[in-house]
Amino acid sequence: MDKRIAFLVASEGIEQAELTDPWAAVEEAGGVPRLLSTKLGTVRAYNHLDPADEFTVDVALSDANPADYAGVVLPGGVANADELRMDEDAVRFVQAIAAAGKPIAAICHAPWLLVEADLVNGRVLTSFPSLATDIRNAGGEWVDREVQVCDHREWRLVTSRTPKDLPAFNQAALKEFGLG
């Protein structure tokens, strides 16, 4: 059976490297990445603040079944993360993934969705430094590391800070997804 990995994004503002690098890593390791978003059509990625490529959505979050996926990647990007955390389908999706004991990998600003979904309390994670207070306020412990794997509960969480951490992030995420 194909090991499908959900890549959860909003309609725009996705940090392109944080989408495309883990996507390529999942494909190269034999997994099947699928792009899930708030609506069907295309999404716009960015290279920091500069518009970059568009990507075609595979499944709308409102139609997505968490049981169909072995794990989820949450790319960053400020606008992406801010929009996604306000989407009820996105919140429900990550909550269901966690409840099923499946791994979540979140980079940069993506942990905002985990804060919104009440999945940070009691966990150790990293992120873009500006989220440290949000993570602490949600009951998590923020650390400044290129990658942090937290596994002290029912599900495992991989987090990283920025695109420069992608090699370590990809390696840790693939391990948790059982790929490679």
Side-chain angles (χ1 to χ4, degrees), residues 9-151:
V9 298
S11 60
E12 69 175 341
I14 305 124
E15 186 66 39
Q16 183 154 321
E18 294 171 0
L19 171 62
T20 58
D21 280 21
W23 185 284
V26 165
E27 281 185 325
E28 289 168 14
V32 180
R34 302 284 288 164
L35 190 60
L36 282 60
S37 188
T38 53
K39 59 188 175 192
L40 287 175
T42 59
V43 296
R44 168 71 70 186
Y46 283 73
N47 293 319
H48 190 53
L49 297 175
D50 298 323
D53 297 326
E54 288 188 346
F55 299 89
T56 301
V57 174
D58 295 310
V59 180
L61 275 165
S62 59
D63 297 327
N65 181 354
D68 293 342
Y69 301 92
V72 65
V73 173
L74 302 173
V78 177
N80 172 59
D82 193 50
E83 180 183 330
L84 206 54
R85 71 180 173 163
M86 300 307 296
D87 186 89
E88 292 177 12
D89 293 320
V91 171
R92 280 194 294 268
F93 189 89
V94 295
Q95 287 171 331
I97 289 287
K102 298 175 183 178
I104 297 173
I107 188 167
C108 196
H109 287 79
W112 264 340
L113 177 59
L114 304 177
V115 167
E116 191 68 33
D118 196 26
L119 295 173
V120 170
N121 189 29
R123 294 197 164 272
V124 179
L125 61 157
T126 193
S127 67
F128 193 79
S130 66
L131 274 68
T133 300
D134 298 321
I135 289 166
R136 288 184 191 114
N137 287 344
E141 178 185 341
W142 187 85
V143 294
D144 186 10
R145 296 190 184 120
E146 74 175 345
V147 68
Q148 174 66 39
V149 179
C150 185
D151 65 348

